[in-house]
Amino acid sequence: MRRWREQWSGDYERLLAELRQRWPDGRGVREFISILKLHQDHPAEQVEQAVRTAIELGATHLAGVQFCLHQLLEGHKALPAMDMSLHPELAQVGHQPVDLQQYDRLLGER
């Protein structure tokens, strides 16, 4: 690991630092080693991209890196656009103004 550390990107250093800060009792290092073990089953470029994405998302832990790796491998499957001409009654959903008095009514029902 020490020899490899000389060559790995700054993303790995940042991840390790964040894990050590979050879990200074040694769990952070163990979590980091679990992340490094992903290299056993996946190409280095993909794991590095997943680490970079996890850092950007603030998901600096094993599950976060695994999720990003899964997203990278499976890709984002775009949902087909909904043809609103078939459902004109739904065209304004999400565009109507918020009625803040609804919240007051809910609070009053306690």
Side-chain angles (χ1 to χ4, degrees), residues 99-110:
D99 180 7
L100 296 178
Q101 291 179 351
Q102 290 286 5
Y103 293 104
D104 292 335
R105 285 188 213 113
L106 289 171
L107 290 172
E109 292 178 4
R110 287 184 179 193

Side-chain angles (χ1 to χ4, degrees), residues 26-66:
R27 179 178 168 204
V29 173
R30 289 190 301 274
E31 186 91 354
F32 185 72
I33 291 170
S34 295
I35 291 168
L36 292 180
K37 286 182 180 180
L38 294 171
H39 285 273
Q40 293 173 339
D41 299 318
H42 304 285
E45 301 82 28
Q46 291 177 345
V47 176
E48 187 171 343
Q49 176 64 40
V51 165
R52 187 176 306 113
T53 304
I55 291 170
E56 290 170 4
L57 295 174
T60 52
H61 44 74
L62 176 60
V65 175
Q66 288 173 322

